[in-house]
Structure formats: structure tokens, C-alpha cells
Amino acid sequence: MTAQACTGGSGTGAADGSQGSSSGGSGNPGTTAYRIGAMAWGSSIANNPYAPTPTPHYNLSLLSLGVVSDWGRPGDNPYYPELAKSWKLAQHSITFALRPDAKWQDGQPLTSKDVITSFRAAGADYNSVWAAITKLSAPDDHTVTVDLQSWAVPQNALLHLLQIVIVPDTQYGSLIPMTDFDQTLISYWKTYNILHPTAASIAKAGSGPDGKIMAAAAAKLVKFDPNPMIGNGPYKLQSANVSGVLYQKWDGFFDATKITAPYVQIYPMDSSTEYGAIIGGSIEQELDSQFNDPQVTRMNATQTAHYGVIPSPVQQESLVFNFNHYPFNLLAARQALAYVIDRHDLVKRDMGGDLVQDPAEETPDGINYFLAKQYLKPEQFAQLNHYPHDLARATSVLQSAGFTKKAGKWYTPKGTPFSFTISEPNGLSQFVQDGLIIAGYLKAFGIDVKVEDVDAATYTTKQEAGDFAVSEWYMDWGQGPPMADFAATFGEASSPSWNYPISYSGSGPCKCAIGIGPEADVPGLGHVNIASELNREVNQATPDTWSKYTWAWAQWVNQQLPILPLYNNAFHTIYQTNRYANFPPQSQKWLWTVLSGADETVVWMQNGYLKLT
């Protein structure tokens, strides 16, 4: 791996955006840049967060109103303020106070007009937060108020508004229709009927005049490629191509004095080159791979390469069963796998030895164990089936459903061999190892299982198309309340989706990854349309009801096993200190688990970490 593959020049933009003196980066980027290894990208990238393939790590340059992390920030405010210095939640509104010293890299001040344009651009991209909005207003240049529907939960709306990238009105304003686009968005979502959507209401919203205006705006938005990218963050984009991306520090950023890295370089890599680059010291951080015990031992022996693990409080790695692939439409088949797979053994082995990097899922219930602990009582956990490793129970449930075992091999009630393939994404060693270990358990039990590696670039597309009998993915999404995580798995609005979407017409198979439903009997809720009921709860349920709904859906997943949660995901903190020092301690979990907003390294520097030695 050649670490100097992307230098891109030193740049000539001044702090106010004019041409001339340096823009903040000093020295040679080959010797001073903070270097990140990232998954390879295609040759076609655009300086637009809404493009199908946006410029890698564009959030070094384009920020949001705040930073959302997997772990909440200690204190009363779980989100780190960025372009907004603060916000206030009222019963039916949210008011953002913008930083008066924030500005764009062309020297223009960042104002409420930019924020409102950004919210409208998100609306053109079909951001469903607009279903909760009744009005946007700007009392002054540094204040934005978002009025909400009476049923909207302000905490939920805040989370989604903070995740919107703030883009300049000078570049994106012309993409917003000249008509009253706010009313178009509000009217579209009213027709959609977000609390009780149906296939008919969704189709009516899309085919009506509001839907046509939005479709035209969305087409313009995704094709837009501003040149240059006018950012609002600490780095200016200097060059970007298939070989790498170079960002240079911009002195006009409001926190510029805290930004210690003169440049940031992004290199396209796979897991093997990332490991070699970390060991050799030619990158400072990699974000995509997990390493096994021997690799970690070798890393730690260098005393400059470091490896740590922070369990995620939201994501959960699970097996996904496709009900259109026999016999996984049979509950007994799914239950048998739950009893055969030793989740506690798996979690200790999937990294190659003694490195226990994720806590195993104690009780398969569809949401992350940390989140479940917040909303479920101990006596409720005790009522759930833990599916302990128990081959006798696996045998019993299969036999009771008509499965038979002959000469050490299991056969389905149809008399065919119980055999299947587990599909895993290549390049993600943790997933591939999971598949191999699970296949070993099942083969020893008499179920013939193969493991296939699928191109990671097309893996989720094929999953959601229903191509795989059994696959694995992160089936918990960090969307806020637990119902939002259940909804992301079982209640998406339209295809492609993990399960029957709300827009399902009622005829034909589910061309999706799971295919349970579309209706079900849910404990405590009765007979419901899965997607529609979850969608209603996400948008309307107040925090005092979250425990009730969490318990209902946890029981349903535990009883029906549409997915088999294996263990909680973890963030793998892999970094090198031969050039940069003072990384955040592992105890500052929120700094290592940034999901949206400013790039993680930016947030580190804003909080006093990271120094070029």
C-alpha cells in the first residue's frame, strides 16, 4: 500500500474563500495529514450528500446542526451542538439557535435561510420528518423554528432534523421549486397519511400533483454536483478521485483553533490492506474492518497500533430468515436453529480466539440488549424464551413439526434434505467467520449448510430482493425509540424493504429479505398490519408508552423468530499513534461512535483530542 497515493496539492484558497494565500493547511500533506483507510469507492463521486455516491467523508466539510452518536453524550444533552449552538423543545415545536460565527467557505455567513433550504432539500429527498412539520419560520438570521403536528413527538423530530446535512442556499436554493414547496411537502405527507398509510394512500400521494413536484425536485437534487463544494466545516475539499480524497484545513471555521490536523487524506482499501497499513504506520485510522486475535496480538505488540472494542447500544447482528425459502416459513425450522446455534460460544470465536468483542444476545427479542434493558423489566425477560444451546430441544421441535432424521441427516416434512446456504458479505471478516462457525454447529447436528461470500457492494440489494434463504446483517438501526428500530426491520414504507412494506398491495409474494406477515397477532396489540402499526407508533407514540410497545414487539419477535439476534454489534477502535497522539480514551464512548453530523475526527479535535507529534 502506497500511503502517498493521494496528495492532491496544497490548495490555494484563502480563509475567506478568495484565491491567494494558504487556507490553513501547513507543510506537506504527505507528512502532516491525518490518514484514514476507508472502503473503496467507485470512480463516479459527487460533491453532494444526496448523490448516489457522494464524496467520501464529505462531513469533514459539510456539517449538521448537531452530532448524533451511538452512545449518548454524558449530561443532559445527548447530542453535541455543531452549527446550532442550542435548541429548545416545546410541546409542538423545536427552535434552533444557530452559531453567529458560523460561515461558509466562500466567506458568506451561515444563516437561517441556509438551514431552511437544507430542510427543504431533505424534503425533496422524501425525508419523512416533513410528515410531522406544519411550518418553518426564521424570526431572524440565526433562529429557525419548526412547528410540529399535534401528534408529533418532538424528541423524534429533533433526532431526524439533527441528521440533515446543512448545505448552502447559494448552491441548493435553485434546486427547490419556486412554488410554495413547504405546502407541497406538507400536502404530500397528508395524502400519504403517515399515521395510517395504506398502499392506496401512498400511491395517491406519489401520483398526485404534490408527488410529481417532489419527484422532479428529487431528480434534480440527486444529479447535482456542485463544483466546488462550498462547505461550512473545518476542511476544504482539495481533490477527490478513485485513488483518494484530500481535505485541507480552513481557517474560517468557528472552531479552527481546535483543529490540529492540517490535512485529512482518505484512502480506498480492503480489510487486508487496512491491516497492513495500520501495522506499518501508513494510516492513522481504519473504519471498516475487524481483526482476529492473532492480528490484534501483533498490532498491540507494536505499541503504536491500537485495538479496542466499544459495544454498540443500538445495533445487533442477526440471522435473517427468508420465509419464501422453504422450510423457513415453518416456525420449527427457525426455532431449531435458535437452539442449535450457541450464541455465547459464537461470540467468543468469531474473532478467532479469546477476544470477546461483543456481548451475546441473552434473549432474542429484536432489539439491542442495551436498549431492551432500558424498556423491559426483569420479570418480562423471565417470561421470554432464551433459546439456550439445547440440541435435545432442537430435535424435539423438529420432530413435532414432521422433520425426520435418517443416518445422521435431517429431512423436511416434504422428505427433502434440510440443507441451505448462509449468504455473507465478503470483505467483512466478522460476518464471514460467523457464517462458517454457524455452519459448523448445524453440520454437526445433521443439517447440511454451506456458506457463500457475496460481493459486499450488492449484498444488501440482493438481501432486500429476497435472493437469500438465510443471511446476516445489522438488524437494529439506532433510530431513537425501540419501535423505530422494530419499524426499520419490519415496517418500511416502500420497496425495497426488509419485510412487507406499507405499500404492499396485498397480492403476490414479498420480494423482501424476510416476508413474515404482512399481518400478525401481536401480544397486547391484537391483529395488526405489521408495517402500518409500527409506522403509527413511531410517529405518534409518546415516550410514556414506549415500554408498552417494546414489550409487545419483543414478545412477537421472541415467539415468531423472523430474525435470530446473535449478539450486539461493536465499534472496533483501530488506530496508529506513530504520528498522531492524544486519541480519546475508550471511556468517552460517544466520541468513538459518531453516526451523523461532523466527521468523527472533527469532533475529537473540537473536544481537545488528536495532536500531530
Side-chain angles (χ1 to χ4, degrees):
M1 199 284 293
T2 305
Q4 311 306 323
C6 171
T7 56
S10 59
T12 57
D16 64 357
S18 62
Q19 298 298 306
S21 61
S22 172
S23 166
S26 60
N28 180 353
T31 57
T32 65
Y34 185 84
R35 302 160 301 181
I36 299 173
M39 290 187 70
W41 55 88
S43 58
S44 176
I45 53 178
N47 300 327
N48 171 10
Y50 293 104
T53 52
T55 301
H57 287 254
Y58 64 80
N59 56 343
L60 287 160
S61 188
L62 284 170
L63 309 185
S64 301
L65 296 177
V67 172
V68 177
S69 295
D70 215 15
W71 283 91
R73 191 168 64 112
D76 295 334
N77 185 0
Y79 310 120
Y80 181 68
E82 198 67 80
L83 295 176
K85 65 178 182 180
S86 63
W87 42 83
K88 182 179 180 180
L89 275 64
Q91 186 175 5
H92 300 305
S93 67
I94 304 172
T95 298
F96 295 94
L98 308 182
R99 292 190 63 105
D101 51 353
K103 58 183 177 179
W104 296 99
Q105 291 169 355
D106 62 358
Q108 298 300 310
L110 186 147
T111 70
S112 51
K113 185 177 182 181
D114 299 300
V115 175
I116 289 179
T117 291
S118 301
F119 288 174
R120 289 170 177 160
D125 194 50
Y126 295 90
N127 191 315
S128 62
V129 72
W130 271 92
I133 294 174
T134 61
K135 181 183 177 182
L136 297 182
S137 58
D140 56 55
D141 282 349
H142 295 102
T143 305
V144 173
T145 296
V146 181
D147 290 332
L148 302 172
Q149 301 278 1
S150 59
W151 50 259
V153 180
Q155 296 96 321
N156 293 353
L158 173 65
L159 172 63
H160 295 296
L161 290 169
L162 290 178
Q163 292 174 324
I164 293 173
V165 180
I166 304 304
V167 293
D169 175 76
T170 55
Q171 289 188 321
Y172 287 78
S174 61
L175 303 177
I176 306 301
M178 296 299 291
T179 57
D180 187 355
F181 194 52
D182 290 10
Q183 190 55 48
T184 295
L185 295 169
I186 293 168
S187 179
Y188 170 87
W189 286 105
K190 182 179 180 180
T191 303
Y192 188 104
N193 191 14
I194 193 70
L195 295 183
H196 300 286
T198 63
S201 69
I202 294 173
K204 184 177 179 180
S207 61
D210 300 312
K212 292 177 180 178
I213 292 172
M214 288 176 62
K220 290 174 62 177
L221 180 65
V222 299
K223 293 178 182 177
F224 185 51
D225 188 6
N227 190 16
M229 176 194 291
I230 300 176
N232 49 39
Y235 288 96
K236 271 190 172 183
L237 178 65
Q238 295 299 304
S239 64
N241 52 52
V242 70
S243 299
V245 183
L246 176 67
Y247 292 91
Q248 182 180 13
K249 181 182 174 181
W250 175 58
D251 285 336
F253 181 55
F254 57 82
D255 261 354
T257 57
K258 298 178 181 178
I259 303 302
T260 54
Y263 298 90
V264 177
Q265 288 177 316
I266 317 298
Y267 298 110
M269 296 180 175
D270 60 25
S271 58
S272 60
T273 53
E274 283 180 333
Y275 178 71
I278 281 286
I279 286 287
S282 52
I283 60 173
E284 274 66 60
Q285 189 180 9
E286 71 90 0
L287 305 173
D288 307 301
S289 298
Q290 300 90 35
F291 302 138
N292 58 34
D293 276 28
Q295 290 174 316
V296 171
T297 299
R298 184 183 170 199
M299 279 183 57
N300 292 337
T302 68
Q303 298 186 344
T304 59
H306 306 273
Y307 190 99
V309 171
I310 298 177
S312 166
V314 296
Q315 285 189 325
Q316 183 181 75
E317 298 187 28
S318 305
L319 284 188
V320 180
F321 301 121
N322 189 291
F323 283 51
N324 291 317
H325 291 256
Y326 183 82
F328 294 107
N329 60 317
L330 303 179
L331 177 59
R334 307 191 299 273
Q335 288 179 323
L337 266 61
Y339 285 123
V340 174
I341 296 169
D342 186 341
R343 296 189 302 278
H344 291 276
D345 181 63
L346 171 69
V347 80
K348 294 177 181 179
R349 293 176 55 201
D350 73 345
M351 296 304 290
D354 298 325
L355 182 65
V356 180
Q357 51 97 42
D358 307 281
E361 182 62 24
E362 294 289 344
T363 307
D365 52 28
I367 55 172
N368 181 281
Y369 197 45
F370 292 92
L371 197 59
K373 284 282 191 178
Q374 295 179 43
Y375 294 97
L376 299 181
K377 300 175 182 177
E379 56 267 28
Q380 291 174 325
F381 274 110
Q383 296 178 48
L384 298 176
N385 187 345
H386 297 295
Y387 294 97
H389 177 55
D390 191 328
L391 300 184
R393 287 194 185 183
T395 297
S396 176
V397 297
L398 287 177
Q399 290 176 338
S400 65
F403 287 77
T404 56
K405 193 173 188 180
K406 304 172 186 177
K409 299 290 184 182
W410 281 100
Y411 291 81
T412 71
K414 292 182 178 181
T416 56
F418 188 1
S419 61
F420 61 91
T421 297
I422 299 176
S423 303
E424 299 281 12
N426 66 9
L428 296 177
S429 58
Q430 185 174 350
F431 281 88
V432 175
Q433 290 180 68
D434 286 344
L436 294 172
I437 295 169
I438 290 170
Y441 298 143
L442 296 172
K443 287 180 180 179
F445 181 66
I447 301 174
D448 188 18
V449 177
K450 297 179 181 178
V451 180
E452 68 169 352
D453 292 351
V454 181
D455 181 4
T458 61
Y459 183 75
T460 55
T461 300
K462 291 180 177 179
Q463 266 186 318
E464 293 181 356
D467 290 356
F468 307 140
V470 179
S471 55
E472 184 178 3
W473 201 241
Y474 308 104
M475 301 306 291
D476 201 357
W477 313 90
Q479 299 295 308
M483 296 83 65
D485 281 336
F486 285 120
T489 302
F490 303 111
E492 293 180 279
S494 59
S495 295
S497 60
W498 289 99
N499 197 44
Y500 284 98
I502 299 169
S503 58
Y504 174 64
S505 65
S507 61
C510 179
K511 295 181 179 179
C512 54
I514 302 171
I516 186 172
E519 297 182 347
D521 293 316
V522 180
L525 302 182
H527 192 76
V528 300
N529 179 287
I530 297 168
S532 182
E533 171 61 19
L534 281 167
N535 182 81
R536 183 198 66 77
E537 293 170 14
V538 168
N539 286 284
Q540 193 176 29
T542 54
D544 62 303
T545 65
W546 291 356
S547 291
K548 166 192 169 183
Y549 289 119
T550 301
W551 174 230
W553 291 104
Q555 291 178 89
W556 178 72
V557 172
N558 184 258
Q559 292 169 8
Q560 297 300 318
L561 288 181
I563 61 175
L564 176 59
L566 300 172
Y567 53 81
N568 296 322
N569 184 34
F571 285 78
H572 298 253
T573 60
I574 302 169
Y575 58 100
Q576 167 66 252
T577 56
N578 66 340
R579 292 199 317 156
Y580 275 82
N582 192 31
F583 282 75
Q586 299 284 310
S587 59
Q588 293 290 318
K589 296 177 181 178
W590 73 277
L591 285 171
W592 286 97
T593 61
V594 171
L595 296 177
S596 68
D599 190 272
E600 189 171 83
T601 53
V602 170
V603 186
W604 290 353
M605 290 183 280
Q606 287 180 288
N607 285 271
Y609 297 101
L610 217 60
K611 180 180 179 182
L612 180 65
T613 58

